[in-house]
Amino acid sequence: MFRSVRPYLERAGLEEPVVCYQGAVVAEPATGRFLRHVPIQLELACEAIAAVQERGFALNCYVDDDLCVAAENPGARAYADFQHIPLNIVGPLLDWLDRPPTKLVVVEDPETLDRLRAELTAQFDGRLFIAKSLPFFLELASPEVSKGTGMAFVADRLGFAAAAAVGFGDGENDLELLEWAGYAIAVENADERVKALADWVVPGPREEGVAQVIEALLDSRE
């Protein structure tokens, strides 16, 4: 969500466009204006919500940079607390939703989400982007959405080519980003598919592998 990343942008003093919502949104940090927004079509979103609810799961629904749920539940509360954002209780989602949501998320244990993902992929193959962002977050978005398409928009806007870009990733939702970038870097604790795609694997968060690469790059330009 843009609202969850904005405090970090302000602390870092970044002014360039930021890719949010798995690539569904590219936002302008200073104003919060969405430069790119690719939500899920309303009819398709309702079909997806119904499919998930029929299987007994609750959803997080994101509209206008707000997190909305039918009723408070442990998964939604954990997500809101993790992101430091308000949780909006709106009642039955299919009765409330009247505009395309940016994305939908199911919060559950990893093995349960693996089974749910397989079922949803079979039902919505090619019609939704479906991937885990973290092991316990299963995200549903427009099929035109990925971190790769989000970064392609930023590259076009700022005037650089994919060949000049370095992409870092750890989760399965980073695959399209690393496929797009001219040079792909995975961290040591990354998903095995991400590491298989990477040109280089760097140390994980404890050793600050990403920071080491960025600092070495900046040092090389002095």
Side-chain angles (χ1 to χ4, degrees), residues 138-215:
L138 183 65
E139 310 215 1
L140 285 64
S142 164
E144 303 168 46
V145 161
S146 74
K147 291 184 181 181
T149 60
M151 274 305 304
F153 178 91
V154 172
D156 288 344
R157 187 175 180 88
L158 298 184
F160 66 89
V166 178
F168 295 87
D170 62 349
E172 66 178 55
N173 63 327
D174 294 318
L175 288 168
E176 292 83 2
L177 170 63
L178 299 191
E179 288 171 347
W180 173 84
Y183 195 79
I185 298 178
V187 294
E188 199 169 49
N189 61 319
D191 184 285
E192 291 302 320
R193 288 165 292 178
V194 174
K195 291 197 284 189
L197 183 64
D199 297 301
W200 188 21
V201 177
V202 300
R206 290 182 181 275
E207 293 79 25
E208 299 182 333
V210 173
Q212 289 184 45
V213 174
I214 295 173
E215 288 169 357

Side-chain angles (χ1 to χ4, degrees), residues 1 4 8 60 62 67 72-87 107 137:
M1 297 178 72
S4 63
Y8 301 101
N60 295 351
Y62 301 80
L67 168 56
E72 182 164 341
N73 60 79
R77 174 48 60 193
Y79 190 100
D81 292 346
F82 173 72
Q83 297 283 12
H84 307 291
I85 55 174
L87 184 62
V107 184
F137 295 156

Side-chain angles (χ1 to χ4, degrees), residues 31-193:
T31 65
R33 182 168 65 97
F34 285 5
L35 305 173
R36 177 183 196 255
H37 185 204
V38 185
I40 307 172
Q41 293 181 355
L42 181 57
E43 183 178 353
L44 177 59
C46 290
E47 183 183 350
I49 290 169
V52 172
Q53 291 179 340
E54 286 167 2
R55 290 170 169 84
F57 298 97
L59 292 110
N60 295 351
C61 183
Y62 301 80
V63 178
D64 298 333
D65 211 29
D66 286 327
L67 168 56
C68 304
V69 294
E72 182 164 341
N73 60 79
R77 174 48 60 193
Y79 190 100
D81 292 346
F82 173 72
Q83 297 283 12
H84 307 291
I85 55 174
L87 184 62
N88 299 284
I89 312 300
V90 299
L93 291 178
L94 291 177
D95 294 338
W96 168 80
L97 189 63
D98 61 0
R99 55 201 183 281
T102 303
K103 73 173 181 178
L104 304 168
V105 174
V106 184
V107 184
E108 259 295 349
D109 68 84
E111 291 185 359
T112 299
L113 289 183
D114 285 340
R115 293 191 293 271
L116 177 61
R117 174 175 53 184
E119 294 178 10
L120 294 178
T121 298
Q123 182 173 348
F124 295 97
D125 187 26
R127 297 193 293 143
L128 285 173
F129 175 87
I130 303 174
K132 286 183 178 179
S133 55
L134 289 173
F136 38 86
F137 295 156
L138 183 65
E139 310 215 1
L140 285 64
S142 164
E144 303 168 46
V145 161
S146 74
K147 291 184 181 181
T149 60
M151 274 305 304
F153 178 91
V154 172
D156 288 344
R157 187 175 180 88
L158 298 184
F160 66 89
V166 178
F168 295 87
D170 62 349
E172 66 178 55
N173 63 327
D174 294 318
L175 288 168
E176 292 83 2
L177 170 63
L178 299 191
E179 288 171 347
W180 173 84
Y183 195 79
I185 298 178
V187 294
E188 199 169 49
N189 61 319
D191 184 285
E192 291 302 320
R193 288 165 292 178

